[in-house]
Amino acid sequence: SDSIPDFAAGDFPTVQLIPPSLVVGIGCSSDASSEEVSALINSVFTDHRLDMRAISKLATIDLRAHHPAILGQHLPVVSFASARLADVPVPNSSAKVESHVGTPSVAEAAALLASGSGELIVTKTKAKSATIAVARRNAKGNLKVVGLGPGNAMSRTPAAIRAIIDSEIVIGYRPYIEQCSELLSPHQLVLRSPIGEESSRAKTAVEFAIAGRAVALVCSGDPEVFAMASITFEVLEAQCRALNIDSPDKIMDITIIPGVTAGLGGGALLGAPLGHDHAYLSLSDLLTPWETIEKHIHAFGQADVVIVIYNPKSKGRLWQLPKAIEILSQYRPGPTPVAVVRNIGRNGESKTIYTIDTFDATKVDMTSLVLVGSSTTRRIGDYIFTPRGYEIHR
Amino acid sequence: SDSIPDFAAGDFPTVQLIPPSLVVGIGCSSDASSEEVSALINSVFTDHRLDMRAISKLATIDLRAHHPAILGQHLPVVSFASARLADVPVPNSSAKVESHVGTPSVAEAAALLASGSGELIVTKTKAKSATIAVARRNAKGNLKVVGLGPGNAMSRTPAAIRAIIDSEIVIGYRPYIEQCSELLSPHQLVLRSPIGEESSRAKTAVEFAIAGRAVALVCSGDPEVFAMASITFEVLEAQCRALNIDSPDKIMDITIIPGVTAGLGGGALLGAPLGHDHAYLSLSDLLTPWETIEKHIHAFGQADVVIVIYNPKSKGRLWQLPKAIEILSQYRPGPTPVAVVRNIGRNGESKTIYTIDTFDATKVDMTSLVLVGSSTTRRIGDYIFTPRGYEIHR
């Protein structure tokens, strides 16, 4: 419990588990002192029989994130922009505070935000130059599977940024953690996971969320497209089965934060190849039998749609791409555009446009995405596009 | 020309075209006056034989965007964050300026940025409390076809925001202009276009860019996926043919800014249906013959991949969706999940999960996206997902 037990210690042998369930929201004026804030927290916790050891973090407004009165408590601090605090419904709002810092509540709003929409258990309590409020964390943990977009921060959504900043635990394949490293804070637990460990990575993320933590599982591009969202639901399904429940909502909140997938980033670099019906295909036969992949290639070939090929090649997989192009050449004329984009949104970004006849699979590497045109895909300059069928009246 | 001719007016009959090609970058201290800045611009333009009527806008740092010395010139003003100005390489940088406002150059950097990486024709020139620099706009116009993401601003990328802010002309279908209205400035020309006018909308955008302007053509979601990028390249191709050139790069810069498409936004809401190979299909037969669409449906049915259906229905198109589901039911077992998502990222966002047997096409409207599972797509609680084939060891 995060509260002081009703019996006196020593009455009988006892074990008390103290969860990190409380968040203290703090507002203060610029002349507040560390001692004043300590005394205020002490008196509030004593009055409400709360255990100071259950404080997981302090929460305040960005403006005060580095104020000595707050840093002096030697506890993790999270802070929020005033506009965000202003959006939180609170019991005690103040027009005077709003005129000073742009939000009618700091302590209550920050405590609620930092607790993940938890419960406000101590409303605003004032000392001379500081106010505090205490929120108890939402007991349900949450897992956000977050798409970072391809490459650089210019294609990363605000929803992805917020999901990462709001998490206590950030998990991801090492290069994807690097991709968002500037968003990480010292108070977060960051788990860098090796490639090939997707299944255990998802399991770790789910287990932390079930245990009540706020977790972000990060992927490059979009989390759905050949990434971590699907394996996460497989793990959740197994958990539900083990616990004999019918929905993951009963044990945690799960949110998928979409991102710009490599197909869209690479397509944009090439012009508009994905302008008509199209298909996404992964050539990785590590998880999917090659027969299934080949069946998809034949069907997409027959459909005469543009195909975006993920995972075209890796150290151990060399013959799959030439084989795929060979199959598609049975369905497409020789001059059909085939394009390779590399390092989308990263250093060394490049594109090469071949035809199905001139395609050179040796130029493709692990960072590449391959797009195979349909019979209507056309080239103009260094761009390819697939028309939808508009009449151009000139 | 934007310069004063060498001959005296009246020497012989003459017509002078004055393009809006010059940008004046201004830095000033807080005590600068409108008169001082006017005098400085006057003297610089006289010394360099430049025509004041060629000034298209003033450019400065955000901090001074509303300073009377700048607003007092009665010219359009654009402003930039100091971090952005600091990134621009300039001939004259100042450590003193940097210590005050966080960028080593204001006038030169702002002039260059606002001119679209144009040419600095007058370097930093100082008066008592102000400095100015003059840049000539890049003669080549540019067109950015911008994806706003689905619905709200939380899934809009920084690249999309910057493209809109940097444009002189913003063009889009009326609701998409509304979707980014908070990014628009009074100095921009905003063209709201009716639905069904995609071809003329693209043509207008291309023509402005060819004429040297900075244009943003905005779309909801991603610009490639059943949106404006493809028709834009069709228009560019026709222009290239008419001008007998081989690449649009010779007449303008064209950039596609990818966004989160509705398929990814809707898929995320549902869990992870797009976790394995999948296909994008538009049911609109306004531009594509129904025979082609039906061929795609059969092929995707045969491939046994998840299908994202755009444009499932409109006022005049009612039978296409039931027909598509009927065809797919020949390939998929009755319990296969079929999901409908509505108003992704907007008010009234909702999802409904049916099976192919229980699907109710009457519940689908123009704001809907339909996802049809493959034979491996599974449901858990209110989510559906398509496994890639990982082994879950528990």
Side-chain angles (χ1 to χ4, degrees), chain A residues 266 270 273 307 309 336-341 351-355 359 364 369-373 384:
Chain A
L270 289 165
I307 306 167
I309 302 181
T336 302
V338 178
V340 178
V341 283
K351 62 175 179 181
T352 315
I353 303 172
Y354 303 90
T355 66
F359 180 68
V364 172
L369 191 81
V370 178
L371 284 98
V372 180
I384 58 174

Side-chain angles (χ1 to χ4, degrees), chain B residues 134-203:
Chain B
V134 184
R136 183 174 283 140
R137 255 198 357 220
N138 194 337
K140 235 202 240 178
N142 67 75
L143 170 56
K144 289 170 180 148
V145 191
V146 180
L148 299 174
N152 66 51
M154 286 300 284
S155 52
R156 189 195 289 156
T157 68
I161 294 170
R162 181 170 290 182
I164 293 166
I165 289 176
D166 286 354
S167 294
E168 299 163 281
I169 300 169
V170 182
I171 305 179
Y173 172 45
R174 182 177 293 274
Y176 303 158
I177 294 283
E178 294 314 312
Q179 194 177 327
C180 60
S181 57
E182 85 283 12
L183 300 175
L184 304 175
S185 311
H187 71 272
Q188 292 177 315
L189 173 64
V190 179
L191 299 175
R192 294 166 176 82
S193 151
I195 199 166
E197 300 284 320
E198 289 75 23
S199 175
S200 70
R201 195 185 306 150
K203 227 184 298 185

Side-chain angles (χ1 to χ4, degrees), chain B residues 6 14 23 26 46 64 105 112 124 173 209 388:
Chain B
D6 281 335
T14 175
V23 176
I26 307 182
T46 306
R64 296 280 181 257
S105 164
L112 281 168
K124 184 164 85 169
Y173 172 45
R388 270 186 88 185

Side-chain angles (χ1 to χ4, degrees), chain A residues 154 156 158-159 203 224 230 237 246 249 259 264 267-268 273-274 276-278 280 282 288 296 303 378 381 383 386 393, chain B residues 154 156 158-159 203 224 230 237 246 249 259 264 267-268 273-274 276-278 280 282 288 296 303 378 381 383 386 393:
Chain A
M154 285 300 283
R156 189 194 288 155
K203 229 185 295 186
E224 271 201 86
S230 164
E237 183 192 47
D246 61 3
D249 293 344
L264 296 178
L274 307 180
H276 206 308
D277 296 350
H278 57 277
Y280 281 71
S282 167
T288 303
H296 293 176
R378 296 205 293 266
Y383 307 96
T386 310
H393 305 286
Chain B
M154 286 300 284
R156 189 195 289 156
K203 227 184 298 185
E224 271 201 86
S230 165
E237 184 192 48
D246 61 2
D249 293 344
L264 296 177
L274 306 180
H276 205 310
D277 296 349
H278 57 276
Y280 281 71
S282 166
T288 303
H296 294 176
R378 296 204 293 266
Y383 307 96
T386 310
H393 305 286

